[in-house]
Amino acid sequence: HGYAGREFTHGLRMDRTSDAGDLHPRQTNKERNYSITYYNELAGYTIGQVWCDPNKPDPSKAKFPVGSVWFKLVFTTADTSAAPYLLNAWEWEAYVEKGAEQPITPRALTKLRLLEVDFGVRQDSKDAVNGWLFGVYVFSGQKKGATIKDKLVPIGLQWGNDPGLTPTAVRAGEKPIAESWINTNVWNENVPGSSLVQRLGWGYRLQGPVADHAGSMMSVYMTSGWPPAPMVAPSTMPVDSMLKWQRNVRTGTPFQAGQVSLDYGLELMEGMRNHAIANGDSVMSKAYMEELANTLGFVPTLQGEKVVAAADVIEYDKGMTGRNLYVFFGFLLLVAVLVGLLIWNFLQK
């Protein structure tokens, strides 16, 4: 519920805001993005087990069986002037906020365009070192084809985090990324104007256009656990310490000590966090506000949050009308009583 809550037409949730240039060199303003995730029967059953008691979710039940699949549709407020490849994109109308700057624009039915499709598949093969395979598509109106599916171009696949590999080592050619496949027809670091994708993840690992590029797709989902952990390494952290977020953590294994693994179920973590905040968890509420502020560039006010009230307006009447007239007669009565008391006191003497 509240500021970043789901909208009612399609159930879209607020996703990360794209800064100028994130989607295309022509993009000069921030753009809002909204998404929704779908699950197949196996994945949906697991989610149902976690939320079997809707008042007390059980993170220990988050064990996705082999064959679980999810995919996420990401829509944007950007149009072809900001991202030319969105020509003839699939459009949805959604009840969202379009503006990405303060003051916050009120929600209204707004046209959104399909930008990105993410997916994850729970696998049990020697290649899927963590037990999951992730992938990202981007929409391209320039691609030939009669259907929306025809116009989705793969950005890449990721089946591991390439532990120990830093961005410097990749740039220097010491060792290439080996656990992500990147479509070089979509991303060209040297010619960004001709690329559909402007940025990848940390150290050239796979990441989608609407994502935190301080991590990779797999590294972000890998942090899913309860209680929540930071999804990306703090920017002030030394590079060697950042590599904690680029380990290979097997499915069902907590990202850090003290966590219960949610088996790469990032949406499960977000749902449990929202549930905790709605039930009065002030610590998570503060952390969530900081996350929102980092994503949006400003601090929004959430529904149900206490807002500092404006100063009370002092109302007054002008002239001998309304309350002024009553006050005047009251004053005269008070004077008359005082004079009467003085005269009575004088006569007693």
Side-chain angles (χ1 to χ4, degrees):
H1 73 282
Y3 175 73
R6 291 187 182 273
E7 57 84 41
F8 68 83
T9 62
H10 296 281
L12 298 175
R13 59 178 286 276
M14 183 186 291
D15 215 308
R16 291 187 64 83
T17 298
S18 295
D19 289 325
D22 276 358
L23 303 180
H24 192 271
R26 291 188 192 175
Q27 181 199 353
T28 56
N29 299 313
K30 290 183 177 181
E31 296 289 350
R32 285 288 184 88
N33 303 299
Y34 297 88
S35 64
I36 185 169
T37 304
Y38 297 89
Y39 303 86
N40 72 348
E41 293 88 344
L42 291 172
Y45 176 82
T46 302
I47 293 171
Q49 292 303 295
V50 173
W51 287 98
C52 195
D53 181 349
N55 294 313
K56 191 176 180 181
D58 185 354
S60 69
K61 299 293 179 63
K63 295 179 174 63
F64 290 98
V66 172
S68 296
V69 178
W70 62 262
F71 70 92
K72 182 168 78 168
L73 305 180
V74 184
F75 292 82
T76 182
T77 57
D79 57 22
T80 53
S81 64
Y85 52 84
L86 293 177
L87 180 67
N88 297 322
W90 186 27
E91 295 179 344
W92 273 5
E93 263 200 343
Y95 192 70
V96 298
E97 296 148 350
K98 184 176 181 180
E101 304 283 358
Q102 293 206 81
I104 300 170
T105 56
R107 291 191 183 195
L109 283 174
T110 304
K111 189 177 291 185
L112 305 178
R113 295 164 181 83
L114 180 66
L115 168 69
E116 175 183 340
V117 178
D118 302 342
F119 69 87
V121 181
R122 172 74 174 88
Q123 288 195 327
D124 191 17
S125 65
K126 63 179 182 179
D127 296 323
V129 294
N130 294 328
W132 283 91
L133 172 71
F134 290 114
V136 187
Y137 290 92
V138 64
F139 180 88
S140 174
Q142 289 92 350
K143 188 184 177 190
K144 294 181 179 179
T147 68
I148 297 297
K149 183 180 175 182
D150 294 331
K151 294 181 178 294
L152 292 175
V153 182
I155 296 174
L157 296 169
Q158 187 175 17
W159 53 93
N161 278 320
D162 284 284
L165 195 54
T166 65
T168 302
V170 178
R171 282 194 295 267
E174 296 175 12
K175 188 178 179 182
I177 290 291
E179 294 178 346
S180 287
W181 167 77
I182 305 299
N183 184 357
T184 54
N185 293 322
V186 170
W187 180 76
N188 187 331
E189 183 183 19
N190 299 318
V191 192
S194 65
S195 297
L196 280 176
V197 177
Q198 303 305 302
R199 301 172 66 187
L200 293 175
W202 195 78
Y204 304 93
R205 295 164 174 84
L206 179 66
Q207 189 60 291
V210 179
D212 194 331
H213 296 97
S216 68
M217 189 176 184
M218 179 161 279
S219 72
V220 168
Y221 277 85
M222 181 180 70
T223 64
S224 304
W226 193 256
M231 288 186 281
V232 296
S235 58
T236 55
M237 185 176 281
V239 172
D240 288 347
S241 299
M242 289 182 176
L243 289 172
K244 174 186 175 181
W245 277 261
Q246 305 303 330
R247 297 171 293 147
N248 278 332
V249 176
R250 185 69 184 170
T251 173
T253 305
F255 169 70
Q256 63 184 23
Q259 267 191 320
V260 177
S261 171
L262 290 175
D263 197 4
Y264 287 74
L266 191 62
E267 284 79 5
L268 271 175
M269 183 280 293
E270 291 175 339
M272 292 179 63
R273 178 196 60 194
N274 293 345
H275 179 267
I277 292 172
N279 283 277
D281 192 314
S282 58
V283 175
M284 287 195 185
S285 180
K286 181 181 178 182
Y288 178 52
M289 288 295 294
E290 291 173 353
E291 181 185 323
L292 265 183
N294 179 57
T295 298
L296 300 168
F298 58 84
V299 180
T301 299
L302 298 183
Q303 181 179 328
E305 187 178 40
K306 290 184 178 179
V307 180
V308 178
D312 290 334
V313 177
I314 301 174
E315 298 180 358
Y316 61 93
D317 298 310
K318 296 181 179 179
M320 296 301 291
T321 60
R323 285 171 294 186
N324 289 351
L325 191 60
Y326 289 111
V327 171
F328 177 72
F329 283 119
F331 176 74
L332 290 180
L333 180 62
L334 179 62
V335 170
V337 170
L338 290 173
V339 170
L341 288 172
L342 287 173
I343 294 173
W344 183 78
N345 186 56
F346 178 78
L347 291 175
Q348 292 296 317
K349 292 182 178 179

